Amino acid sequence: MITETLELEFGQVHILSNILIAELKEGVLFNAENNAKLLEIGKEVFKNKPYGYISLRKNSYAVDPLVYRHSALDKNLKAIAVVSENELIKLNANNVERQFYNDPDSFAVFDSLDQAINWIQFRI
């Protein structure tokens, strides 16, 4: 299913037909500059077509809250999913991150990557 994997200084980005999956490195501060790179990849790869984004949270890292605001403004980014087995990460995503998006149904948290992919395919 994955058509390409990009190695970036802050982690890996896997590209599917209409989904970006980011797996960030341990200890990274994911800031607005890093997020702008991901949004630019989305524009280049999907050519202004709707797409989804999955944050595959296998590692521990910090996120600048401005990231959520910038992502919410991207008109082609239609669905965002967080995948984690860590209950604290899932709780934080549901209670904090979700509030940054105008459409609360465009954001979801999952236990597995397959669940997230299926949900995004349904949303787009």
Side-chain angles (χ1 to χ4, degrees), residues 3 5 9 17 19 25 31-33 47 49-50 57 64 67 76 84 100 103-104 107:
T3 59
T5 298
E9 65 274 4
S17 60
I19 301 172
K25 293 178 181 177
N31 58 25
E33 180 181 327
K47 311 238 185 278
K49 294 179 184 168
R57 298 193 180 170
D64 179 342
V67 164
N76 294 317
S84 179
F100 286 90
D103 178 2
F107 184 92

Side-chain angles (χ1 to χ4, degrees), residues 37-48:
K37 288 179 187 174
L38 284 182
L39 294 174
E40 186 61 34
I41 291 169
K43 281 183 184 175
E44 289 176 17
V45 169
F46 303 118
K47 311 238 185 278
N48 293 320

Side-chain angles (χ1 to χ4, degrees), residues 3 6 11 21 33 39 41 45 48 51 54 69 89 93 96-97 102 124:
T3 59
L6 304 174
I21 301 171
E33 180 181 327
L39 294 174
I41 291 169
V45 169
N48 293 320
Y51 71 98
I54 297 174
R69 184 169 301 224
I89 290 172
V96 177
E97 294 177 45
N102 295 331
I124 295 178

Side-chain angles (χ1 to χ4, degrees), residues 84 86-98 109:
S84 179
N86 182 304
E87 291 302 319
L88 185 58
I89 290 172
K90 291 191 293 189
L91 184 65
N92 185 58
N94 266 320
N95 293 338
V96 177
E97 294 177 45
R98 176 185 304 277
V109 179

Side-chain angles (χ1 to χ4, degrees), residues 69-85:
R69 184 169 301 224
H70 293 148
S71 294
L73 296 174
D74 188 315
K75 302 218 182 308
N76 294 317
L77 182 55
K78 301 296 183 186
I80 297 172
V82 171
V83 176
S84 179
E85 295 177 355

